[in-house]
Amino acid sequence: MKNMIPESIILRQTEDDYLVAEGDIELLETIRDIIKITNSQKLAKNIMNTTKTDETVSFYINKQAAYNHKFNILDESLSALGDIEVIAKTHNNPDDIIEWLTTNDD
């Protein structure tokens, strides 16, 4: 996962052994670029619209695929090894984040 994360992002491990990346929009820009490169906009938008709440946009990235430099976005964790959970917190505007992540506009 570290090869996807910009240097300005802080990584910390929680008491229950989760690795948490905290930072600003730069981390989401990396994910946005990957969604564009893999032409996954429609799938990503559908998944994010299904899993959003009033204050979050969430999805999973298949850990095994990411390890092999592939991108596979999921709406739930399916891998026996666990998947990478992405949760973007927002202030009551999840649709804006979803639109920004899944459009081709710059």
Side-chain angles (χ1 to χ4, degrees):
M1 186 166 137
K2 279 191 170 187
N3 61 344
M4 286 180 51
I5 299 176
E7 288 181 24
S8 64
I9 304 301
I10 298 168
L11 290 177
R12 66 176 175 83
Q13 192 165 358
T14 64
E15 290 178 11
D16 50 358
D17 252 0
Y18 285 95
L19 184 64
V20 177
E22 295 177 340
D24 57 15
I25 197 79
E26 192 174 0
L27 180 57
L28 290 178
E29 285 174 345
T30 302
I31 292 171
R32 181 178 188 234
D33 291 344
I34 294 169
I35 289 170
K36 279 191 213 177
I37 290 167
T38 59
N39 202 26
S40 303
Q41 294 95 331
K42 187 174 181 180
L43 174 62
K45 188 174 205 168
N46 288 338
I47 287 172
M48 290 179 206
N49 278 318
T50 301
T51 60
K52 72 180 178 183
T53 69
D54 288 341
E55 296 181 351
T56 65
V57 173
S58 63
F59 54 92
Y60 292 86
I61 299 171
N62 180 275
K63 188 186 295 182
Q64 188 173 3
Y67 179 79
N68 290 306
H69 304 287
K70 304 288 181 194
F71 181 75
N72 187 6
I73 187 169
L74 309 163
D75 60 349
E76 61 182 302
S77 183
L78 299 174
S79 172
L81 300 173
D83 292 306
I84 301 165
E85 184 177 17
V86 177
I87 302 172
K89 293 183 181 180
T90 179
H91 298 288
N92 299 320
N93 61 349
D95 293 326
D96 291 345
I97 291 176
I98 293 168
E99 193 64 29
W100 178 76
L101 284 169
T102 60
T103 58
N104 285 327
D105 301 336
D106 286 324

